[in-house]
Amino acid sequence: MTKMPDSNVTDGRTDGCALQVLTLGLGGEIFALESAQVREVLDMVELTEVPGARSFVKGLVNVRGKVVPVVDLKTKFDMPALPPTEDSRIVVIEVSRNGEDSMVGVLTDRVLEVTELPQATLEDVPRVGMTWQPDFIRAIGKRDGDFVIVMDIAAIFSSEGPGGRRKTQP
Amino acid sequence: MRFTIKAKLAVGFGLVVVLAVGAAAIGLRSLSQSNDMIRDMVENDMVKVQTVGQADAASEAAGRHLLNLILATDSTERNGYWAAVEEQMGILSASLTKLRGNATAQEQALIEGIERNLAEYARGAEKARQAAQRDAEARAFAMTQQNGANRAFQIIVDEVRPVRTALNEQLRQLIALEEANLAAKVAANDRALSTAWSVMLAFMAATALIGLAVALWVSLGIARGLNQAAGLAQRVAEGDLTARAEYRNADEIGELMGHLNTMVLRLRDVVGEVLSASSNVAAGSQQLSASAQQLSNGATEQASAAEEASSSMEEMSANIRQSAENAAETEKIAARSADDAEQSGKAVTEAVNAMKSIADKITIVQEIARQTDLLALNAAIEAARAGEHGKGFAVVASEVRKLAERSQAAAAEIITLTGDSVTVSEQAGQMLSKLVPDIRRTAQLVEEISAASREQTIGAEQINTAIQQLDQVTQQNASAGEQMSATSEELAAQAEQLQAAIAFFRTEEDKAWSAPALPRGEPQARPVASSRPGRAARPSKGVKSLEPAFLGIPPARKNGSAQGFALVMEDGRDDEDARFERY
């Protein structure tokens, strides 16, 4: 394990040699979140639905006395929705929005581990031929032969609806 | 129509009978006529003679009584004599009346003369009676007889005697007439009788001649036919079956000849058939002997085979009994197995329940592992957030997480295994529960097998008994076959003897017949043994060997040869005997 710089944790892309992430599975793909942004992992609980919420917001959950919205990134990424399984988890992350931090729960199909992605393996997102909007992706790393897509949380939560921009673009 | 002996005899005897009957009829007629004549003579002529005799006697008596009347001394005496005179004259008159009944003209004339004289005599007699009366009264008055006492006498002498003499003469004539009539009738009768004699003699002579002729004719014919028949019978008796009778008359003898010829022909056929049949019988009985010997051998083998079968059956019976005991043992085992299987089923059910509870418990462990995993993950996150300070903690969290994951995997594996085990155990339980009735059914079947084996034991014993009986029967058959063999050999010998005996008959002219023909007429003199050359000519060993025995039979026995020959098997050995086995 390489030594990790403690400055600018939220940025994640340090000039150190590794990026510490939490890998998780969504659909058949493996995504990664910067571990600095992850607050904790919860077991799947019953969600309190919120009427009038945006489509990717699945409901509310109580995390140690705080009401936290839970979103489904698969809706955001236009991936097919799946029913929760035994491995489904809610990953509580900290999102800095409009200058203030807030907590958001992300529905994941499974949580793999906390690991480090070496900086050398990270590559920029190719501009063509991608399923997802490249804005939401910070980098693509490799781990054990699989691609690990490192999500850009700030970009995701700053956008409006599920694929809103992409839909309005054409 | 055939002119048979019956017809000949009928014609001849019919002629004789007709002639005899004719002669008898003529004789009878003559007899009847003679009888009529004699009866006529007796009833008419003899009566007439008798009546005339009576009249003559009455006339004499009347004259005598009249004389007595004259000579009588008292009136009573005279009255008595007068009554007698009147009676005799009545008799005379009655006789005349009787004669007049069927008198001829000649007699009638004489009778009428007699009646006239009788009437005159009556008157004279009356006169004499009165004179006698008066004479008697005069004698009484004069007491003398010399005077006038003879007038009655005088009257008689003068008047009565001539009348009476004429009367007697007429009566004599009548008697002579009647006797002449009688003599004529006797002569006529004699003539008729002699005629009948002649006719009857002629008929009898003719009858005798005809009868003799017919008898000669018929008897000569019969004798000729019978002689021929006798000759044929004699030749047949000598054994010559080629003989034939030549007699062509179409009568009963001819028929007999035809039948005799047919009989000889049939006899010839029969003898030929008997010859061939007896040779067949001889050959067949030899074969029969061989077959019987084979049969006997076969029966002996069969008997030994039956004994083997009997011992095999005993072994089988023992095996079956053993099987029955094994089956009973198996039955007990099966019942026990059924109980065991039932208990095993219960045990399996308990095991299933236990495994289910294990699975439940493991689920708790799994949940704990999962929670642990989550906790470890969060710890790792916390450690990562802690940065350099959380490095050690991150390692621990990682280890804990690995342990948790291993626990989880192990728990999942246990759950899977438990589920599989439960499935398998439930299947085992089901199979066990299915097994129980099968085992019980097996027990029942084994029980039935046991019962069947017991019955099989009984059956096998019965079969064994039957085989032993079969063995006995087969042994009897073997001895019977040997006896049959011996009997058939005897039969062969007898058939050859029969051939020899039947060779006595000669059926064809060209066949060897070396016996000299004996003169006919003495068939009894021909001995039976004289046919020996004919038999000896046949090349038969059996006959040769049996010859002494055959000849040793007394002649009295030969008559009974139709019932069979008396065989003397001990005699007559020859070289050929060595070739045959003796039983």
Side-chain angles (χ1 to χ4, degrees):
Chain A
M1 192 173 281
T2 57
K3 188 177 176 181
M4 201 171 168
D6 60 346
S7 64
N8 198 6
V9 182
T10 55
D11 190 2
R13 191 187 278 264
T14 61
D15 46 359
C17 47
L19 180 66
Q20 198 163 33
V21 294
L22 174 72
T23 57
L24 49 90
L26 270 180
E29 306 289 340
I30 298 172
F31 292 85
L33 291 171
E34 286 178 55
S35 57
Q37 291 176 317
V38 177
R39 184 70 172 271
E40 67 174 312
V41 179
L42 298 177
D43 213 347
M44 193 66 193
V45 295
E46 197 67 28
L47 298 178
T48 309
E49 288 188 15
V50 181
R54 280 184 290 187
S55 63
F56 64 94
V57 176
K58 291 301 174 188
L60 299 176
V61 71
N62 187 0
V63 180
R64 304 183 205 285
K66 288 186 180 173
V67 176
V68 174
V70 176
V71 301
D72 189 354
L73 289 180
K74 282 189 283 187
T75 310
K76 197 85 178 175
F77 295 156
D78 287 341
M79 292 170 74
L82 292 171
T85 65
E86 200 174 89
D87 292 329
S88 296
R89 299 283 185 274
I90 299 170
V91 178
V92 180
I93 57 176
E94 292 175 343
V95 177
S96 168
R97 198 176 179 185
N98 301 327
E100 57 180 277
D101 290 344
S102 61
M103 289 196 294
V104 174
V106 175
L107 284 173
T108 62
D109 288 340
R110 55 201 167 111
V111 175
L112 296 175
E113 60 181 343
V114 175
T115 184
E116 287 181 346
L117 292 174
Q119 200 68 46
T121 65
L122 292 176
E123 293 177 12
D124 284 342
V125 182
R127 282 288 144 188
V128 290
M130 289 293 294
T131 311
W132 307 288
Q133 294 176 9
D135 301 347
F136 295 161
I137 301 168
R138 188 168 159 189
I140 293 174
K142 271 188 253 171
R143 179 179 160 73
D144 297 338
D146 291 332
F147 287 110
V148 180
I149 301 161
V150 183
M151 291 186 286
D152 188 348
I153 293 297
I156 287 167
F157 285 101
S158 63
S159 69
E160 291 303 315
R165 276 193 298 178
R166 194 180 60 178
K167 282 182 178 173
T168 53
Q169 241 177 359
Chain B
M1 181 193 147
R2 294 185 309 153
F3 200 56
T4 60
I5 291 172
K6 192 166 65 181
K8 286 176 191 170
L9 287 174
V11 167
F13 281 107
L15 215 55
V16 170
V17 165
V18 164
L19 286 172
V21 166
I26 288 166
L28 280 176
R29 201 169 62 84
S30 303
L31 266 176
S32 171
Q33 283 176 350
S34 176
N35 189 36
D36 287 347
M37 277 185 181
I38 288 167
R39 179 170 293 160
D40 184 41
M41 280 191 284
V42 169
E43 285 180 355
N44 293 326
D45 299 318
M46 289 295 284
V47 168
K48 280 179 183 171
V49 170
Q50 195 182 2
T51 312
V52 172
Q54 279 179 355
D56 191 30
S59 163
E60 289 294 333
R64 197 170 58 245
H65 287 309
L66 193 59
L67 282 179
N68 286 337
L69 183 145
I70 293 168
L71 292 177
T73 54
D74 63 356
S75 68
T76 310
E77 203 174 356
R78 276 191 301 273
N79 286 340
Y81 282 124
W82 179 244
V85 168
E86 279 188 331
E87 187 190 6
Q88 291 303 324
M89 280 168 53
I91 289 170
L92 183 57
S93 178
S95 296
L96 290 175
T97 310
K98 194 174 171 185
L99 281 172
R100 197 193 289 266
N102 52 357
T104 60
Q106 202 177 3
E107 288 167 351
Q108 195 73 32
L110 279 171
I111 288 166
E112 281 173 3
I114 290 168
E115 279 178 344
R116 275 197 304 274
N117 284 332
L118 184 59
E120 205 169 336
Y121 180 74
R123 279 192 304 275
E126 178 64 27
K127 201 189 274 182
R129 189 186 70 88
Q130 287 171 1
Q133 186 69 34
R134 278 191 307 270
D135 284 348
E137 286 170 2
R139 272 195 307 265
F141 186 70
M143 293 302 281
T144 180
Q145 282 183 328
Q146 298 298 318
N147 300 327
N150 292 331
R151 276 181 298 180
F153 188 74
Q154 200 64 42
I155 288 168
I156 286 172
V157 171
D158 294 340
E159 297 176 17
V160 175
R161 184 173 286 176
V163 172
R164 204 179 143 249
T165 306
L167 185 67
N168 281 348
E169 183 57 30
Q170 281 172 326
L171 280 172
R172 295 283 181 277
Q173 284 176 5
L174 193 57
I175 285 168
L177 182 65
E178 293 299 334
E179 280 176 350
N181 281 343
L182 196 59
K185 281 192 178 175
V186 165
N189 195 11
D190 283 349
R191 274 194 311 276
L193 218 64
S194 111
T195 309
W197 258 81
S198 310
V199 171
M200 277 179 76
L201 273 177
F203 267 91
M204 279 161 75
T207 304
L209 278 175
I210 289 169
L212 202 62
V214 167
L216 271 176
W217 181 36
V218 170
S219 65
L220 279 178
I222 290 172
R224 199 159 58 88
L226 284 182
N227 274 338
Q228 285 200 16
L232 180 62
Q234 186 202 346
R235 286 175 68 188
V236 170
E238 288 162 6
D240 184 5
L241 291 180
T242 62
R244 275 188 67 81
E246 302 296 333
Y247 185 89
R248 295 287 170 229
N249 284 7
D251 55 7
E252 283 89 342
I253 301 288
E255 212 173 325
L256 173 66
M257 285 302 163
H259 290 329
L260 277 178
N261 283 337
T262 311
M263 182 189 82
V264 171
L265 271 177
R266 294 274 158 78
L267 209 56
R268 200 186 299 171
D269 294 346
V270 166
V271 165
E273 284 176 15
V274 167
L275 264 177
S276 66
S278 61
S279 63
N280 286 348
V281 167
S285 55
Q286 292 288 358
Q287 287 179 358
L288 184 66
S289 169
S291 300
Q293 187 55 37
Q294 282 181 358
L295 189 70
S296 168
N297 294 342
T300 311
E301 287 177 20
Q302 209 178 0
S304 63
E307 280 177 9
E308 284 179 23
S310 170
S311 60
S312 299
M313 275 311 295
E314 279 176 7
E315 284 179 25
M316 200 169 93
S317 171
N319 287 344
I320 290 169
R321 210 176 292 122
Q322 185 67 39
S323 297
E325 290 169 6
N326 290 348
E329 190 70 23
T330 310
E331 184 194 336
K332 285 176 197 160
I333 291 170
R336 220 155 50 210
S337 300
D339 293 343
D340 291 352
E342 210 167 357
Q343 287 183 358
S344 301
K346 285 176 189 166
V348 167
T349 310
E350 286 173 14
V352 165
N353 291 335
M355 270 186 266
K356 279 178 182 169
S357 61
I358 288 170
D360 290 346
K361 299 290 191 305
I362 291 295
T363 309
I364 294 165
V365 171
Q366 196 181 23
E367 181 61 24
I368 289 166
R370 203 175 66 87
Q371 296 285 347
T372 310
D373 181 53
L374 199 57
L375 283 173
L377 193 62
N378 281 321
I381 289 166
E382 284 297 327
R385 285 167 64 94
E388 205 61 33
H389 303 291
K391 280 270 184 182
F393 188 65
V395 172
V396 173
S398 175
E399 292 297 318
V400 168
R401 196 165 172 234
K402 282 176 187 168
L403 286 175
E405 280 177 352
R406 277 173 62 190
S407 298
Q408 217 170 346
E413 210 172 325
I414 288 169
I415 284 170
T416 309
L417 285 175
T418 313
D420 288 349
S421 298
V422 165
T423 310
V424 169
S425 299
E426 278 173 350
Q427 282 181 355
Q430 286 173 0
M431 285 165 82
L432 278 172
S433 58
K434 272 197 251 170
L435 202 59
V436 169
D438 285 350
I439 291 171
R440 291 205 191 284
R441 176 77 183 135
T442 305
Q444 284 179 3
L445 289 176
V446 167
E447 193 182 8
E448 287 176 14
I449 288 170
S450 176
S453 296
R454 283 194 292 277
E455 287 180 13
Q456 265 182 342
T457 307
I458 297 167
E461 283 168 2
Q462 286 176 352
I463 289 171
N464 201 11
T465 314
I467 286 174
Q468 282 168 358
Q469 287 177 355
L470 184 70
D471 183 32
Q472 290 176 359
V473 170
T474 309
Q475 283 174 359
Q476 287 174 359
N477 279 354
S479 61
E482 288 176 0
Q483 282 183 359
M484 199 160 85
S485 173
T487 309
S488 58
E489 296 221 340
E490 284 181 23
L491 185 64
Q494 288 197 9
E496 286 177 354
Q497 201 165 349
L498 178 64
Q499 276 181 315
I502 209 74
F504 167 74
F505 288 110
R506 184 162 57 112
T507 55
E508 290 172 24
E509 288 293 346
D510 55 351
K511 207 161 185 177
W513 183 258
S514 55
L518 290 178
R520 300 181 73 177
E522 49 171 0
Q524 298 85 355
R526 183 189 180 93
V528 177
S530 68
S531 62
R532 274 172 63 196
R535 288 212 313 277
R538 296 175 60 83
S540 171
K541 299 182 185 80
V543 170
K544 219 192 293 178
S545 67
L546 288 167
E547 197 84 41
F550 183 71
L551 292 175
I553 299 166
R557 298 287 300 274
K558 280 187 182 173
N559 294 335
S561 63
Q563 284 83 34
F565 291 103
L567 291 176
V568 185
M569 300 295 283
E570 288 79 19
D571 293 333
R573 286 175 176 275
D574 60 2
D575 299 337
E576 304 289 336
D577 284 350
R579 286 169 55 192
F580 300 103
E581 192 177 349
R582 190 173 179 86
Y583 296 103

